[in-house]
Amino acid sequence: MKRHKHGNKQYFTRMGTRKKVQAFVRVKPTDDFAHEMITYGGDNKSIDIHLKKDTRRGAVNNQQTDWSFKLDGVLHDASQDLVYETVAKDAVSQALDGYNGTIMCYGQTGAGKTYTMTGATENYKHRGILPRALQQVFRMIEERPTHAITVRVSYLEIYNENLFDLLSTLPYVGPSVTPMTIVENPQGVFIKGLSVHLTSQEEDAFSLLFEGETNRIIASHTMNKNSSRSHCIFTIYMEAHSRTLSDEKYITSKINLVDLAGSERLGKTGSEGRVLKEATYINKSLSFLEQAIIALGDQKRDHIPFRQCKLTHALKDSLGGNCNMVLVTNIYGEAAQLEETLSSLKFASRMKLVTTEPAINEKYDAERMVKNLEKELALLKQELAIHDSLSNRTLVNYDPMDEIQIAEINSQVRRYLEGTLDEIDIINLRQIQEVFNQFRVVLSQQEQEVESALRRKYTLIDKNDFATISAVQKAGLMDAEGHLVGEPDGQSFGLGVAPFSIKPGKKLRSKKTLKDQFSSSARKEGASSPVSGKDLDVVSVSKTQLVPSSRDGDVKDMLSRDRETSSIEPLPSDSPKEDSRPLRPSTPPSKPVAFEEFKNERGSEINRIFKENKSILNERRKRASETTQRINAIKREIDVTKDSLNFQKSLREKQGEYENKGLMIIDEEEFLLILKLKDLKKQYRNEYQELRDLRAEIQYCQRLVDQCRHRLLMEFDIWYNESFVIPEDVQVALKLGSSIRPGMVPVNRIVSLVSSTRGEDDQDRFSQLQQTVLPEGPDSISFYNAKVKTEQKHSYMKTMVGIQQSHRK
């Protein structure tokens, strides 16, 4: 058993026995089978190819004419049931036991790879390996009630060496912003950005399969009308947990169902343009796949070229890795395609040389593991308690200490440090740990007491406050080493501690200056606050309506919530009673007059929201303007303060500088100017940050106002069409046929939409189909359910796209 670690998760894989890749051959039925050139062995596990010598090469002709291929099975004129039973049933069954599996279809274009893998979705009996594997998985889950098994699926397409998610068209997935990439980790290879979907029942899995099939890229050429132009990998992920709560181990596995694009000989297919480019990429990737297979079959090779193309890289853990690998080679039975058939059989024989090492993937549930360890810990504590009681060790306690015990240890530590306690009695290891912890607590408290004492005596400046340090250094109050100057000696004064009695003439003035600073700061803080009694009375009635709050933080929270639901909810437009609608005038009014009527009646709600949002936008703009004025005022005051500080410094230099022990001494007025400059800069930064926040709010409010305006105009157009343009009888017909509002449909499309609703309903066809199919195959109900739902969805999407395009025109 190997142990792997990935992040905080641990998983294990049991060492498995090495086994050869299984290779099968399926021959496409044809009326022109080359019996003289292709023969089968009696055990249906070998196929022989015989070619006639080319007489044009002369008498000496060493051309090889006979080939014999030994495989695991030859499927000739085999039904879809027989193919699945022979090829895929065992690999799918072992996947539920924790073994990974890969089933791959390879062959020439038009040889039947997609039919073998997917089958004909129109007919339940002709379904391929993929839908049958899904059915088998869910059938086996029902047979294992002791395990909770979750199933997830993904559908990957490799087209022209680019990765695409075939299930990205689902409404809850959407297209990926960043391109998908192939990532490797200790657990294997996975596609970053590929959506994985949880399926709780068989019908959901079929719906995802059919959704991906409709998104595949196909093209037509002379050998195949519906040729797949990409490699597709449908992956089924399974995770099985035991329903026994004490079992912390669970198993995971995955099945890769690979439908490769067919190799093409351009001289036969006659491909041109885009199809020619696709064929070039297909042949190139298949060539790299064959190189990887040759390297895997050679035991002396150390390097396997998996990274040459996206196909081999994505299948790295499937080709010769930890999985059961099965290859189905599809070939023609006609003499005209014998050269390509021979090439496909050579690939199958090389694949049989590759060995894999399938192993069970076991993981451990962290939550269950913790619960089991807690239970084991409780049992061990009980055993220790019994052992201590038998050994007369009654003071030993293995539970965490309470507050009283911690306080007692803290008291012992303090007495030990003071010298009143000679030693601390040791009872157990937990107490020793707590003693060291209390030593740390006492040390931290003493450091805080020393710092508080220093702050009471001196003025401390944070070393990270570069603005204050720079101002003090410019004033000459700090030396190059960062030491402050000035000590109180009765004649002069130091920074922040000099008595005001030194300059009695400026004592009252300095106190008043400080008081004015605090009062002006408080006034500015109050002025910048968005609180107003009027704002608090505004109540939101829509998701896009802005509500002024009592604090800026509340406004930001409200804006963040609005960003998530910025789309305006459709307002109720249809009146509950048809009889209450007013009579329609003979001639429709002009749109300006109708628009005023609409704002007062049907559009009154959205018009009110629009006005309230606009008023809030204006209020934010007004606040931004006031904040800008305050910033400019602070900037002017900063400039004045700097000039005053420079004047005081020049005056001090002219009058003579006083020094004490080599340190420069400044007077009180210059010191107050330094503090004032620092406070003004702090106010400037705060006001500027508030202005930035207001600008962000203004930008968002403007977007909401534009959305409200657009919605108001759009609702008016719909209301105008319903009230004055579209005939009432046509509106009734539209309402009976669909849920689309009549005003949203262009007039020139109404007749075609009404006529389309009179056709045969898809649900009726499904009911008739169900009645004819169910007696023959009861298991097909989920298959056809998913098929019909997918068709209905795509027909609906096509209709909506057509309506939107017509509406734009």
Side-chain angles (χ1 to χ4, degrees):
M1 178 179 292
K2 290 183 180 180
R3 177 182 178 182
H4 309 273
K5 187 173 183 181
H6 179 62
N8 295 327
K9 298 181 180 179
Q10 293 184 354
Y11 65 98
F12 299 83
T13 55
R14 292 183 182 177
M15 297 297 294
T17 57
R18 300 189 66 84
K19 58 183 294 188
K20 297 286 186 179
V21 172
Q22 289 185 299
F24 297 88
V25 172
R26 187 179 191 186
V27 185
K28 183 177 182 180
T30 178
D31 295 334
D32 190 17
F33 187 80
H35 294 281
E36 297 179 356
M37 300 180 179
I38 303 175
T39 57
Y40 306 124
D43 56 354
N44 274 337
K45 290 187 177 182
S46 62
I47 183 171
D48 299 327
I49 305 295
H50 174 72
L51 290 177
K52 295 181 180 179
K53 282 192 176 184
D54 189 359
T55 56
R56 293 175 297 179
R57 296 191 176 186
V60 180
N61 188 350
N62 295 325
Q63 178 187 1
Q64 184 176 355
T65 58
D66 296 293
W67 290 267
S68 181
F69 300 95
K70 185 70 174 177
L71 304 167
D72 292 286
V74 178
L75 303 170
H76 181 60
D77 291 335
S79 64
Q80 295 281 64
D81 291 332
L82 179 59
V83 171
Y84 183 77
E85 293 287 333
T86 307
V87 172
K89 187 175 181 179
D90 291 341
V92 175
S93 177
Q94 292 182 20
L96 285 173
D97 296 327
Y99 293 94
N100 294 335
T102 300
I103 303 172
M104 180 188 300
C105 288
Y106 174 90
Q108 183 185 1
T109 179
K113 299 179 298 302
T114 302
Y115 179 78
T116 301
M117 181 57 66
T118 308
T121 55
E122 295 80 8
N123 193 318
Y124 177 73
K125 291 183 178 180
H126 294 164
R127 66 195 187 282
I129 292 176
L130 209 162
R132 292 174 188 269
L134 289 173
Q135 280 186 317
Q136 182 182 350
V137 166
F138 285 98
R139 295 291 184 274
M140 295 183 67
I141 289 176
E142 294 176 356
E143 297 172 359
R144 301 191 180 191
T146 58
H147 287 76
I149 303 176
T150 57
V151 179
R152 295 176 174 84
V153 299
S154 65
Y155 211 166
L156 173 68
E157 180 183 48
I158 305 176
Y159 174 71
N160 289 354
E161 281 301 294
N162 293 314
L163 304 176
F164 297 96
D165 186 359
L166 290 176
L167 301 180
S168 62
T169 55
L170 294 173
Y172 55 88
V173 178
S176 177
V177 178
T178 58
M180 292 188 294
T181 56
I182 302 174
V183 181
E184 297 183 37
N185 60 18
Q187 298 184 21
V189 177
F190 71 96
I191 311 300
K192 184 178 181 180
L194 179 65
S195 61
V196 181
H197 305 263
L198 178 66
T199 57
S200 57
Q201 55 185 358
E202 186 178 320
E203 184 177 331
D204 296 339
F206 281 139
S207 297
L208 294 172
L209 169 62
F210 296 143
E211 177 71 23
E213 286 295 316
T214 56
N215 296 328
R216 289 189 63 175
I217 298 176
I218 60 174
S220 176
H221 53 73
T222 57
M223 296 188 65
N224 191 356
K225 293 182 179 180
N226 298 308
S227 175
S228 300
R229 313 308 296 166
S230 60
H231 310 298
C232 294
I233 304 174
F234 188 93
T235 307
I236 307 173
Y237 306 89
M238 285 169 284
E239 188 173 299
H241 292 260
S242 175
R243 297 188 185 274
T244 306
L245 296 178
S246 61
D247 193 355
E248 61 199 26
K249 182 176 66 176
Y250 66 98
I251 59 174
T252 61
S253 61
K254 67 177 181 178
I255 306 174
N256 289 323
L257 299 158
V258 186
D259 181 15
L260 298 175
S263 59
E264 298 183 17
R265 193 172 290 270
L266 301 180
K268 293 184 178 181
T269 59
S271 302
E272 296 179 353
R274 180 177 63 85
V275 180
L276 175 61
K277 180 181 177 182
E278 294 168 347
T280 304
Y281 275 104
I282 292 170
N283 290 339
K284 183 179 178 181
S285 61
L286 292 177
S287 175
F288 287 142
L289 174 63
E290 187 168 4
Q291 291 178 20
I293 296 302
I294 293 174
L296 287 168
D298 187 358
Q299 302 296 330
K300 298 180 180 179
R301 289 283 293 270
D302 295 330
H303 172 68
I304 310 299
F306 285 118
R307 294 176 177 265
Q308 285 184 316
C309 67
K310 299 289 180 61
L311 176 63
T312 55
H313 197 186
L315 296 176
K316 179 179 179 180
D317 55 353
S318 298
L319 302 173
N322 171 26
C323 77
N324 291 310
M325 180 71 183
V326 181
L327 174 70
V328 180
T329 304
N330 296 86
I331 63 173
Y332 279 94
E334 301 173 358
Q337 311 296 334
L338 199 59
E339 189 174 354
E340 289 78 11
T341 296
L342 189 60
S343 176
S344 299
L345 290 173
K346 289 179 179 178
F347 179 84
S349 63
R350 294 189 185 104
M351 181 65 82
K352 277 193 63 64
L353 298 177
V354 178
T355 59
T356 62
E357 191 174 353
I360 298 177
N361 302 301
E362 296 180 348
K363 294 184 180 181
Y364 288 86
D365 191 339
E367 185 177 355
R368 290 187 180 182
M369 187 182 295
V370 168
K371 290 182 179 179
N372 293 339
L373 291 175
E374 288 177 348
K375 188 183 297 183
E376 184 178 357
L377 182 61
L379 293 175
L380 291 174
K381 283 183 177 180
Q382 294 176 2
E383 293 182 4
L384 280 173
I386 296 174
H387 177 73
D388 292 336
S389 63
L390 295 176
S391 304
N392 294 325
R393 297 176 62 199
T394 56
L395 297 178
V396 179
N397 185 14
Y398 299 99
D399 294 327
M401 292 187 174
D402 54 18
E403 296 181 358
I404 298 176
Q405 292 173 330
I406 294 175
E408 176 62 27
I409 294 177
N410 183 277
S411 175
Q412 292 178 0
V413 169
R414 290 184 180 277
R415 285 184 288 155
Y416 180 78
L417 293 175
E418 293 171 357
T420 58
L421 184 64
D422 294 334
E423 60 181 15
I424 300 175
D425 295 332
I426 299 301
I427 300 176
N428 53 27
L429 180 62
R430 194 182 298 272
Q431 187 209 18
I432 296 175
Q433 294 175 343
E434 188 59 39
V435 166
F436 281 105
N437 185 39
Q438 291 304 317
F439 270 112
R440 185 188 298 112
V441 171
V442 172
L443 178 61
S444 177
Q445 291 176 353
Q446 290 179 351
E447 289 177 351
Q448 293 177 2
E449 291 174 359
V450 171
E451 183 178 353
S452 299
L454 290 174
R455 287 186 180 277
R456 287 194 299 268
K457 189 175 181 181
Y458 303 102
T459 298
L460 304 181
I461 297 178
D462 188 0
K463 291 183 177 180
N464 296 324
D465 192 352
F466 299 107
T468 305
I469 294 176
S470 176
V472 174
Q473 285 179 345
K474 288 181 180 179
L477 303 179
M478 180 182 290
D479 58 10
E481 298 179 356
H483 301 294
L484 295 176
V485 302
E487 293 292 338
D489 57 357
Q491 301 296 328
S492 60
F493 59 93
L495 184 60
V497 296
F500 287 107
S501 59
I502 297 298
K503 291 189 177 182
K506 296 182 180 180
K507 177 179 179 181
L508 182 61
R509 179 184 173 187
S510 62
K511 289 185 177 180
K512 184 177 180 181
T513 303
L514 290 173
K515 182 177 180 181
D516 293 341
Q517 288 180 353
F518 284 113
S519 62
S520 64
S521 175
R523 284 197 302 271
K524 290 182 179 180
E525 185 178 356
S528 64
S529 175
V531 179
S532 65
K534 186 177 179 180
D535 289 344
L536 295 176
D537 294 333
V538 180
V539 180
S540 174
V541 295
S542 173
K543 287 186 179 180
T544 56
Q545 186 176 2
L546 299 177
V547 183
S549 180
S550 61
R551 291 183 303 177
D552 286 343
D554 297 337
V555 173
K556 294 175 183 177
D557 294 340
M558 178 269 294
L559 288 175
S560 64
R561 291 194 299 269
D562 282 344
R563 289 189 183 99
E564 299 175 359
T565 57
S566 61
S567 60
I568 302 176
E569 291 184 347
L571 299 175
S573 58
D574 296 332
S575 88
K577 294 184 179 179
E578 198 69 29
D579 297 338
S580 63
R581 177 176 294 181
L583 295 177
R584 176 178 296 185
S586 58
T587 59
S590 63
K591 284 199 172 183
V593 175
F595 185 62
E596 294 299 326
E597 179 185 353
F598 172 76
K599 288 193 295 183
N600 295 328
E601 296 179 1
R602 282 277 295 276
S604 60
E605 183 70 12
I606 192 170
N607 186 44
R608 181 184 63 81
I609 296 173
F610 171 71
K611 290 182 178 179
E612 292 182 1
N613 285 352
K614 196 169 182 180
S615 65
I616 294 173
L617 174 62
N618 293 333
E619 187 268 339
R620 294 294 187 275
R621 286 176 174 172
K622 182 179 179 182
R623 285 177 52 188
S625 176
E626 294 174 352
T627 305
T628 304
Q629 294 176 4
R630 290 198 302 271
I631 290 175
N632 293 333
I634 294 173
K635 182 64 171 64
R636 289 192 294 269
E637 194 171 356
I638 288 176
D639 295 338
V640 172
T641 306
K642 284 183 177 179
D643 294 339
S644 301
L645 187 60
N646 293 332
F647 176 76
Q648 289 290 334
K649 185 176 180 181
S650 61
L651 186 63
R652 172 166 49 84
E653 292 175 352
K654 292 179 181 180
Q655 294 177 353
E657 299 178 343
Y658 296 94
E659 296 184 359
N660 183 17
K661 298 181 181 180
L663 300 177
M664 188 63 61
I665 299 175
I666 65 174
D667 61 1
E668 179 184 359
E669 185 174 357
E670 187 174 351
F671 172 68
L672 292 177
L673 287 173
I674 294 173
L675 293 181
K676 181 180 178 181
L677 182 64
K678 178 182 177 182
D679 183 61
L680 288 173
K681 289 183 177 180
K682 182 178 180 181
Q683 292 181 28
Y684 183 85
R685 287 193 295 268
N686 293 337
E687 294 289 348
Y688 187 74
Q689 181 62 39
E690 182 180 356
L691 180 60
R692 291 183 60 183
D693 296 340
L694 283 172
R695 286 176 178 173
E697 293 177 16
I698 290 172
Q699 184 179 4
Y700 181 68
C701 293
Q702 183 65 52
R703 186 163 65 89
L704 288 183
V705 169
D706 294 340
Q707 287 181 352
C708 287
R709 182 184 294 109
H710 175 73
R711 185 54 187 263
L712 182 64
L713 295 176
M714 185 180 67
E715 289 288 334
F716 167 71
D717 290 337
I718 296 173
W719 171 80
Y720 189 83
N721 290 336
E722 292 177 352
S723 302
F724 306 109
V725 179
I726 302 176
E728 295 181 356
D729 55 345
V730 176
Q731 293 189 38
V732 174
L734 282 175
K735 288 181 180 179
L736 293 176
S738 68
S739 60
I740 303 175
R741 292 179 60 184
M744 298 176 63
V745 184
V747 179
N748 57 357
R749 294 281 296 172
I750 290 177
V751 177
S752 60
L753 284 175
V754 172
S755 60
S756 65
T757 60
R758 299 171 184 170
E760 184 183 10
D761 187 63
D762 289 337
Q763 189 65 31
D764 296 336
R765 291 193 292 109
F766 171 66
S767 300
Q768 296 175 4
L769 183 65
Q770 205 174 36
Q771 292 176 0
T772 57
V773 170
L774 281 182
E776 300 177 1
D779 295 337
S780 64
I781 183 170
S782 59
F783 182 87
Y784 283 111
N785 267 336
K787 180 65 178 175
V788 171
K789 287 181 180 179
T790 305
E791 291 177 352
Q792 288 177 346
K793 173 190 171 184
H794 284 275
S795 62
Y796 169 77
M797 291 177 64
K798 289 181 181 178
T799 304
M800 293 304 297
V801 170
I803 291 174
Q804 292 176 0
Q805 291 177 351
S806 300
H807 188 64
R808 291 170 185 168
K809 294 178 182 178

